Amino acid sequence: MGLLRDWHYVEKAVQIPALAELIREALIHALFVRDDRVLPRDLIADLNRVPPVTVKVKEDAEVRKLVRVLNGQESTVSLGLSAEDYHYFRTQLGVGRTREFGVTMRPRTLLTYDWIVPEQRGVQLDFTGYAGIEFAVDGHRAIAQVGALWKRLYDEASERGHLVPFVPTVPLDFAVGDALYGDAPFASFRGGFASYVNALRTISAYGQRARIGFEEVANYGTAYDLLHAAIPLAGEFFIPLSAALRLEAKPAARKTLTYGFDDPAKLSAGLDRLCRFGPGVNWVHITDAVAAKILRPATPPEASTVQVSLGATTTGIAAKEKALDVAMVGFKAKSSETPNPYDVSADAYRKTADTVARSLFVGEVRVPAKSFGEFLGKVRAFGDQSAAKAGAYANLQETGSVSTYPFFSAPKDRTKVYDLSKGVRAIVTRTPGAAFTSRLAHLWDEEPNFLRRMSLVRSLKLEIDEAHVVQPLISP
Amino acid sequence: MASLDYAYRRLVNTLGPERVARSEFERMVYSHDFASLPKIALLQWRLYPDFVALPQTTEEVAALVKLSDESLLQITPRGGGTGWCGGSVPNRGGVLVDMRKMNNVLALDPDTRTVTVEAGATWKEVEDFVESKGFALPTIPLNAAGSTVGGSINSGSTGFGGLRGGSVRDAIASLEVILPNGSLLKTASQADAGGQLANLTPLFFGAEGTLGIVTKAILRVVPKPEISKPLTYAFPNLAAAARCLKGIVDAALTPYHAALMDRDHFVFDRALEADSPDPTDLALVAVQGSKDDVADQEKAMDGLAAKEQGTKLPPAVGDRLWRDRYNNYSARRLSRGLMVSYNLVPLRRLPEAVEKAMEIRDKLKLNGSVQAHIVDTTTAALDPYVLMDDTKPSGGTALGFVKRMGDAAFKMEGHPMGLGLFLVFNLRKMHGNATSAYSAVKGVFDPRKKINGGKTFEVWTKYPWPGLRAIPPPGMAIGLEVAAILRRVKPTRDRFVRAYEHTKEG
Ligand SMILES: Cc1cc2nc3c(=O)[nH]c(=O)nc-3n(C[C@H](O)[C@H](O)[C@H](O)COP(=O)(O)OP(=O)(O)OC[C@H]3O[C@@H](n4cnc5c(N)ncnc54)[C@H](O)[C@@H]3O)c2cc1C
């Protein structure tokens, strides 16, 4: 999700004598909101910089060439730009001057907020037009270019008899690449997005095509599983171009069952039982009343709604539904007609996504199923106190953890984002077993083991991207 | 370098005399793993460790690692020693750290559904413990009885339950590791199930002991299924069994385990035990769940098997195979040695893959069995074994089988598993242009190459002199290719079981 650069910047900033007086959190606040009362002017200028050149990618060869040019391995002549573009490119990048250039990938849809430190002088890659999807002829895998929309992947896979197991917990119009260099929250009941990635086709910092993992098979016994270690930060090690995704077969019978709860304790107990359910559950999507109203404006919402996507044999589905009813005992209402957010037309999906996107999101909180109801209540109360009505989208994982995305009806200015994130963090600290995994939460975390891991990850980045090309780290 | 006697004294001071060994016999025991290496390998490597150390605590492991800064002795971590490519065998002597005394199951937390274990515990020990508490492991390596938690994680193992329970990697909540500088690292924060907070666990999955010594693991557990039922089907040939396995995924069924074994496996079994199942090409499918669920899955399986002319075998066959599932290589007793080739191939190409494995086995005039199991919805593990007598010069040539099988796996868009000491030449074939990124990991964690140096990425020899210090990995490939050629020109097929030839012809 792209955070090494911010983390490194903060680590370095705390060492600057002029800023050393500030406590870490105050510094992060100042950097995040670009506070000119606290920070020197040139630092603010750095933070407000935007990458001067955006390249719309159509072919991987262009990216290779670009990286090689930025690396000084090839001259700009080989970029094959029109005379006008060529001149623009050279002047904007200041080719020929002694400057470091970087390449950064622009997420199509960002759930939360922009990074603290933008790419300083390099090139931003826009993958909107790099969106092909190729399905295996006789197997359950797809190779999706990073610009391909998740919804298209989902629909086309379905037409071919596959099931895309992972769905966006917050139903925005994400591209596949948003999970690699953005913050798209793809997950299934059985695992996160990474569990479904067999390989990434990338361009390395040296401009070579490099495949991380294996497109057709899993990654076992081949030295380090670099693929899965890198995925949350993939865009900081390589330039990912396509992902080889592991799909499943579409079950013979599928059903979305919707359970309404009005009692948070019963909701938590139901989820706690549901996570022991075993195979058959594809995803479990949870919304509070505010989120449910956004997704289904025509339906009066329950305090909490749990939608379960169930798959089984045609003969087995009834028994599974019965077992599910038992697990969810305590529900107030049940329906098998309520549409789920994903199996709708692309237009309807996009329309809903536009509405969903208006809310302010602070990132992911992992909450034990048992405490979910209580956590929701606290977030709601916090929203009321902060004059920012709160809601949440969430999904339940088999591990017993609920991956929750609280949101607020508030203007998306950075100060508000910061304050609301801080409030959520305070609730998380009071919820046993919960973890806040947003980008800001990473920057705040000072647990020694976490800091060691981050510095190992940074060393690894510096080794792999020795050329300082892929989102190069920047010091204030 | 400090003298060996001094190093020994320091080790004894750290662990006590009873947990440091240096006798010829003990060193010999640790000079090989499950694969049988021909004696000629001693010309290239110092396979005997100088000392064997058996730590009992994380602190002792850390002390051992720090000691090597004084003694400059290489460290080789070892679990059950059941790997097959020399990862747990020294290449330059040094200190072999046998982790099996750290085999306690420390705690089971029903709330977080995790179990904390020491890395030297075998999977079977962990399974027995969690089952006694009403839980189960989501996935467990095939060799659960002999392999340790730390060893399998470092081998990047596949196993039972993958299709349903996910990979062993995903079953790890966190690891405790002593890094090569002697410090302790926790690879993930426990509440962070999806691994967003800088999760380094995947780097240790398949690391072959090159990044540090795993001392503890926190593993996920799942509720124990109500019923578990093994089903077996006989097929007219192995390709039909393979099509049936593929059909399972195409029908979106998720049995706990689905595997195939060829008839030769049962020929060997019959030679050892008269009442073993009749030789046949067979699929073993274990279904789990509630009573209704199991009945439904069984019905669906019966239908899939029938499509490939599979006949259901009596429950006693499945029960026996399931009971003995962790003990798959008893055929070793027929030949003294046995060589397994582990590969991953696309599931959609499994029928072709099993035929290819049989072809390679037969071309190399070996006796052996072709086996496979489903790993996930795209992947099958193809793990044929061949019998060999490593006391005879021709025995070592069976290593050529592993090379040819690996090459075939690459051709089928899969890959062989494991690099260790003598399959390093596959690294570049596996990762192509990304290879340097993989070596970078070692550089970050162990720049001085203290732990399992000269393996996985490069092949050190026992000689310290420039020019002879390492051999280029392709050199090993050539050696194994020569072994394969020698097998092909061998005039006769191996014959470890009299009945073997009859049944093949009949
Ligand atoms: C019957 C049988 C079936 C098998 N089936 C499979 C299978 O299905 N799939 C599969 O992948 N493999 C399989 N194998 C191979 C082997 O068993 C596995 O790789 C196994 O998990 C290794 O575990 P071990 O404890 O024996 O490790 P070892 O062989 O002792 O060591 C393996 C590697 O891990 C390192 N290591 C060991 N312990 C540690 C530690 N605590 N910290 C750091 N590094 C360590 C060693 O240095 C070595 O590089 C099988 C082997 C047998 C004999």
Side-chain angles (χ1 to χ4, degrees):
Chain A
M1 64 173 168
L3 85 112
L4 264 181
R5 185 190 301 186
D6 282 0
W7 185 80
H8 173 81
Y9 197 86
V10 170
E11 290 293 297
K12 291 288 173 195
V14 288
Q15 290 163 14
I16 296 177
L19 300 174
E21 295 289 293
L22 285 178
I23 53 170
R24 188 185 170 99
E25 213 250 85
L27 177 68
I28 294 169
H29 175 261
L31 291 169
F32 191 84
V33 304
R34 285 110 165 81
D35 188 344
D36 55 10
R37 286 166 308 172
V38 178
L39 301 175
R41 197 175 305 163
D42 49 346
L43 214 141
I44 299 271
D46 274 354
L47 299 182
N48 285 332
R49 217 184 284 274
V50 284
V53 175
T54 297
V55 172
K56 291 195 175 207
V57 177
K58 290 197 189 56
E59 274 180 50
D60 72 338
E62 294 165 358
V63 181
R64 287 187 65 195
K65 234 179 234 171
L66 189 64
V67 172
R68 295 172 72 82
V69 168
L70 297 182
N71 260 334
Q73 290 164 292
E74 267 184 48
S75 89
T76 38
V77 178
S78 70
L79 281 175
L81 301 169
S82 69
E84 208 176 310
D85 288 349
Y86 177 66
H87 179 69
Y88 176 76
F89 191 87
R90 283 183 70 90
T91 41
Q92 287 303 309
L93 281 183
V95 170
R97 289 184 225 149
T98 47
R99 278 177 163 190
E100 261 195 26
F101 309 113
V103 183
T104 179
M105 290 123 258
R106 185 163 80 188
R108 183 185 187 281
T109 304
L110 199 57
L111 174 69
T112 54
Y113 38 80
D114 259 327
W115 284 261
I116 291 182
V117 190
E119 174 55 42
Q120 296 293 289
R121 346 183 194 282
V123 178
Q124 181 166 251
L125 299 177
D126 175 350
F127 286 105
T128 322
Y130 192 71
I133 304 174
E134 171 211 315
F135 290 93
V137 181
D138 182 30
H140 303 283
R141 80 103 185 89
I143 297 184
Q145 293 180 340
V146 285
L149 290 180
W150 171 85
K151 177 62 177 152
R152 213 186 105 217
L153 172 73
Y154 185 78
D155 290 345
E156 290 186 12
S158 178
E159 280 162 26
R160 289 169 169 80
H162 311 293
L163 178 85
V164 175
F166 51 89
V167 296
T169 306
V170 182
L172 293 185
D173 208 10
F174 291 111
V176 170
D178 293 341
L180 301 168
Y181 43 76
D183 53 7
F186 296 138
S188 78
F189 179 57
R190 269 184 275 165
F193 172 70
S195 333
Y196 298 98
V197 181
N198 270 0
L200 294 178
R201 285 184 192 169
T202 71
I203 300 297
S204 74
Y206 302 99
Q208 291 173 315
R209 290 195 179 98
R211 171 188 40 73
I212 318 293
F214 303 85
E215 288 173 7
E216 302 293 331
V217 297
N219 198 353
Y220 289 80
T222 63
Y224 323 119
D225 185 351
L226 186 58
L227 174 76
H228 290 97
I231 278 183
L233 305 162
E236 290 178 276
F237 289 101
F238 319 97
I239 303 172
L241 295 177
S242 308
L245 301 167
R246 188 167 68 74
L247 310 180
E248 291 174 4
K250 219 155 80 174
R254 276 181 72 200
K255 233 174 179 181
T256 303
L257 298 166
T258 306
Y259 298 88
F261 285 85
D262 56 2
D263 177 347
K266 285 184 182 157
L267 168 72
S268 302
L271 294 178
D272 192 43
R273 279 189 299 271
L274 180 53
C275 66
R276 291 151 215 260
F277 193 77
V281 175
N282 300 318
W283 48 256
V284 179
H285 193 245
I286 311 155
T287 41
D288 78 326
V290 186
K293 189 98 191 113
I294 294 173
L295 294 184
R296 293 173 287 274
T299 319
E302 300 290 344
S304 308
T305 308
V306 180
Q307 288 202 305
V308 184
S309 164
L310 206 56
T313 59
T314 36
T315 48
I317 191 112
K320 283 229 185 278
E321 180 172 347
K322 232 164 76 190
L324 194 60
D325 288 349
V326 174
M328 299 302 279
V329 70
F331 59 83
K332 187 181 145 216
K334 179 194 162 187
S335 134
S336 50
E337 305 302 320
T338 314
N340 72 53
Y342 313 113
D343 291 298
V344 292
S345 73
D347 279 346
Y349 183 81
R350 201 169 311 126
K351 227 172 109 193
T352 312
D354 286 346
T355 324
V356 172
R358 279 183 217 137
S359 311
L360 180 160
F361 288 88
V362 292
E364 185 200 28
V365 179
R366 292 176 181 264
V367 193
K370 273 186 191 157
S371 341
F372 179 70
E374 194 190 329
F375 174 77
L376 263 191
K378 285 183 191 159
V379 171
R380 231 175 280 135
F382 167 66
D384 293 344
Q385 275 167 28
S386 323
K389 198 170 167 148
Y393 301 88
N395 78 62
L396 173 71
Q397 309 247 300
E398 202 176 26
T399 52
S401 163
V402 185
S403 165
T404 314
Y405 293 84
F407 64 87
F408 300 88
S409 315
K412 293 186 180 185
D413 70 75
R414 291 182 80 85
T415 308
K416 198 81 191 159
V417 171
Y418 193 89
D419 293 344
L420 292 171
S421 295
K422 231 175 117 180
V424 169
R425 180 179 66 159
I427 300 171
V428 171
T429 6
R430 294 196 310 267
T431 313
F436 192 18
T437 68
S438 75
R439 256 181 286 131
L440 267 174
H442 273 82
L443 302 179
W444 288 325
D445 199 341
E446 291 189 83
E447 195 265 318
N449 247 296
F450 167 75
L451 293 179
R452 282 201 65 205
R453 292 202 301 274
M454 281 302 285
S455 74
L456 282 165
V457 173
R458 176 174 55 185
S459 308
L460 191 57
K461 183 217 162 35
L462 291 173
E463 283 279 321
I464 291 177
D465 177 20
E466 226 182 333
H468 300 281
V469 162
V470 188
Q471 297 194 29
L473 301 181
I474 290 153
S475 300
Chain B
M1 190 188 293
S3 79
L4 284 183
D5 283 338
Y6 176 72
Y8 179 68
R9 279 202 302 278
R10 297 285 282 133
L11 285 170
V12 168
N13 286 345
T14 310
L15 299 186
E18 66 289 351
R19 286 191 283 121
V20 183
R22 68 185 305 194
S23 80
E24 181 72 8
F25 176 71
E26 274 154 314
R27 291 168 54 225
M28 189 269 286
V29 169
Y30 288 97
S31 70
H32 61 83
D33 58 7
F34 197 75
S36 313
L37 275 184
K39 290 257 171 320
I40 195 168
L42 285 167
L43 284 179
Q44 192 161 307
W45 295 302
R46 212 142 67 76
L47 300 170
Y48 284 45
D50 293 307
F51 310 105
V52 177
L54 293 113
Q56 269 174 339
T57 61
T58 301
E59 292 70 29
E60 285 180 354
V61 174
L64 284 175
V65 171
K66 283 187 190 141
L67 268 186
S68 88
D69 286 334
E70 280 175 37
S71 66
L72 300 184
L73 290 172
Q74 273 288 313
I75 291 179
T76 307
R78 183 169 171 118
T82 67
W84 62 91
C85 47
S88 62
V89 178
N91 49 5
R92 286 189 177 167
V95 181
L96 187 139
V97 180
D98 181 342
M99 293 297 290
R100 279 177 306 172
K101 281 217 178 301
M102 289 185 67
N103 63 350
N104 294 306
V105 179
L106 299 172
L108 183 126
D109 182 347
D111 280 340
T112 55
R113 282 199 278 148
T114 53
V115 61
T116 306
V117 301
E118 288 181 335
T122 66
W123 287 89
K124 182 75 175 72
E125 285 164 348
V126 181
E127 182 178 58
D128 288 346
F129 177 85
V130 298
E131 288 198 348
S132 73
K133 307 279 180 211
F135 288 93
L137 294 167
T139 172
I140 181 165
L142 288 202
N143 177 29
S147 63
T148 61
V149 169
S152 313
I153 290 170
N154 270 277
S155 307
S157 292
T158 66
F160 294 96
L163 181 59
R164 188 170 175 158
S167 91
V168 172
R169 178 197 63 236
D170 290 343
I172 308 166
S174 172
L175 298 174
E176 176 190 275
V177 187
I178 294 298
L179 295 182
N181 62 9
S183 66
L184 188 147
L185 177 80
K186 291 196 172 131
T187 59
S189 58
Q190 213 191 323
D192 172 31
Q196 294 291 340
L197 291 167
N199 183 352
L200 297 183
T201 306
L203 292 180
F204 290 84
F205 186 65
E208 302 191 332
T210 57
L211 299 188
I213 302 186
V214 176
T215 47
K216 279 183 200 137
I218 302 178
L219 305 170
R220 296 186 200 296
V221 296
V222 292
K224 196 169 154 183
E226 210 177 293
I227 300 176
S228 184
K229 186 169 183 184
L231 311 166
T232 44
Y233 303 90
F235 289 89
N237 54 54
L238 203 59
R243 285 194 296 275
C244 177
L245 254 54
K246 179 177 174 303
I248 292 175
V249 168
D250 290 341
L253 299 181
T254 40
Y256 171 69
H257 185 62
L260 59 78
M261 295 162 204
D262 72 358
R263 65 194 319 278
D264 295 325
H265 178 73
F266 299 99
V267 171
F268 303 143
D269 246 12
R270 189 48 73 82
L272 291 163
E273 281 179 63
D275 63 342
S276 71
D278 285 338
T280 182
D281 292 322
L282 168 152
L284 167 68
V285 180
V287 291
Q288 292 184 338
S290 65
K291 212 168 128 222
D292 288 347
D293 208 8
V294 164
D296 186 55
Q297 290 182 63
E298 182 170 359
K299 211 170 108 204
M301 264 321 302
D302 290 352
L304 281 181
K307 264 199 217 155
E308 298 297 340
Q309 277 107 48
T311 353
K312 197 169 187 176
L313 297 172
V317 177
D319 290 344
R320 183 192 168 116
L321 292 179
W322 196 243
R323 194 188 58 226
D324 294 343
R325 65 189 181 281
Y326 299 144
N327 177 23
N328 191 35
Y329 299 130
S330 42
R332 191 178 195 167
R333 283 169 22 218
L334 297 167
S335 56
R336 300 179 193 208
L338 182 145
M339 182 64 76
V340 195
S341 167
Y342 291 95
N343 309 278
L344 297 187
V345 293
L347 179 63
R348 66 191 165 88
R349 298 183 70 170
L350 187 60
E352 172 194 345
V354 294
E355 286 186 336
K356 187 76 197 164
M358 288 190 287
E359 183 193 315
I360 295 174
R361 175 196 63 189
D362 294 343
K363 268 198 187 148
L364 300 190
K365 305 188 179 82
L366 288 155
N367 291 174
S369 163
V370 175
Q371 311 199 336
H373 62 269
I374 301 182
V375 173
D376 63 32
T377 54
T378 54
T379 313
L382 175 67
D383 42 10
Y385 67 81
V386 292
L387 307 185
M388 63 189 276
D389 182 350
D390 54 5
T391 59
K392 290 200 183 128
S394 69
T397 54
L399 280 167
F401 177 73
V402 175
K403 164 79 174 42
R404 289 276 167 97
M405 277 303 308
D407 291 348
F410 281 125
K411 271 205 186 117
M412 283 180 282
E413 302 163 279
H415 62 80
M417 291 171 68
L419 296 149
L421 190 53
F422 56 85
L423 298 180
V424 180
F425 57 88
N426 281 328
L427 183 76
R428 196 150 189 105
K429 289 193 205 166
M430 287 170 175
H431 301 301
N433 285 338
T435 308
S436 58
Y438 283 77
S439 332
V441 183
K442 175 77 175 169
V444 166
F445 282 81
D446 188 12
R448 289 168 53 201
K449 301 183 183 175
K450 266 167 66 176
I451 304 195
N452 261 356
K455 297 182 191 169
T456 308
F457 300 96
E458 50 187 341
V459 193
W460 283 358
T461 65
K462 64 179 177 182
Y463 307 106
W465 312 299
L468 284 178
R469 292 188 78 242
I471 46 172
M476 281 299 297
I478 293 168
L480 295 186
E481 195 49 47
V482 170
I485 292 167
L486 290 175
R487 290 279 340 161
R488 278 203 75 167
V489 298
K490 184 172 172 278
T492 52
R493 162 188 281 280
D494 280 351
R495 214 169 196 268
F496 292 108
V497 193
R498 262 172 179 282
Y500 188 83
E501 292 296 319
H502 298 301
T503 47
K504 283 233 79 127
E505 281 144 22

